[in-house]
Amino acid sequence: EVQLVESGGGLVQPGRSLRLSCAASGFTFDDYAMHWVRQAPGKGLEWVSGISWNSGSIGYADSVKGRFTISRDNAKNSLYLQMNSLRAEDTALYYCAKDMGAEWLTTFDYWGQGTLVTVSS
Amino acid sequence: QSVLTQPPSVSGAPGQRVTISCTGSSSNIGAGYDVHWYQQLPGTAPKLLIYGNSNRPSGVPDRFSGSKSGTSASLAITGLQAEDEADYYCQSYDSSLAVFGTGTKVTVL
């Protein structure tokens, strides 16, 4: 059974940093691209970032480019999101999602339950 | 803001058919990228409903169907059931970056 478990969320002040983690199990992690998708309270889904199976291809939404960094450790079956210079508008539930393919131009076939990030003073 | 536009809400009585549109442009759906659909029940994570424009993952009822034409796509739900009340999102790619639709709330009357 595919499982994605996010952690690392919490309350953080504007301008500070936070690192999210996603522990994956139930599939061959290094065969698939992975993504972070967020959802602000009461709002729709927003893709944040994606990374290919071997970290050779990485992309970011314009809203986070230059502030967030996605990475993965295939030996640890883990995905990460380093979030710097956080803003109030980054407040959201952050989901880890598995891609259906090794590169990242397909679909998100499994999702975690999310970790909540609140940016507030 | 999202580059894929969906109606904010649609509704129907049990047993009826409803459709949700997803309108894009020549840089996303019209560029040949596939469209995928997700269902988000209240308080839960999104679930893949349709992938590759019209394919259903294992376990998704055949009441759900998808199609794509030009710069738009559609999700149809036939034989609407109370358990279908949820938010629905389309998703594609634009200049190799993933994009979601604005989302549609389906209400079962």
Side-chain angles (χ1 to χ4, degrees), chain B residues 21-38:
Chain B
S21 60
C22 174
T23 302
S25 67
S26 59
S27 67
N28 41 69
I29 299 175
Y33 291 112
D34 284 342
V35 178
H36 319 287
W37 292 89
Y38 304 87

Side-chain angles (χ1 to χ4, degrees), chain A:
Chain A
E1 177 194 6
V2 172
Q3 283 199 321
L4 300 170
V5 180
E6 303 93 338
S7 61
L11 175 63
V12 62
Q13 293 179 329
R16 303 297 291 267
S17 299
L18 208 58
R19 188 194 197 208
L20 305 184
S21 299
C22 171
S25 61
F27 65 101
T28 305
F29 184 71
D30 55 10
D31 276 351
Y32 297 95
M34 297 293 296
H35 302 263
W36 289 99
V37 177
R38 69 185 180 183
Q39 186 168 34
K43 302 297 184 182
L45 300 173
E46 179 187 17
W47 177 79
V48 173
S49 182
I51 185 168
S52 64
W53 68 281
N54 63 352
S55 304
S57 180
I58 287 175
Y60 300 95
D62 288 345
S63 57
V64 307
K65 193 178 299 181
R67 300 187 299 122
F68 290 11
T69 302
I70 192 172
S71 62
R72 64 189 294 162
D73 185 335
N74 287 344
K76 295 183 177 180
N77 289 350
S78 294
L79 176 72
Y80 306 101
L81 185 68
Q82 177 67 42
M83 304 187 295
N84 298 332
S85 303
L86 282 162
R87 306 167 180 168
E89 53 264 37
D90 295 319
T91 294
L93 187 61
Y94 284 73
Y95 293 105
C96 166
K98 172 188 169 292
D99 199 291
M100 195 175 271
E103 297 302 327
W104 57 326
L105 289 178
T106 61
T107 186
F108 315 134
D109 57 353
Y110 289 95
W111 298 62
Q113 288 305 304
T115 186
L116 182 62
V117 173
T118 303
V119 184
S120 174
S121 55

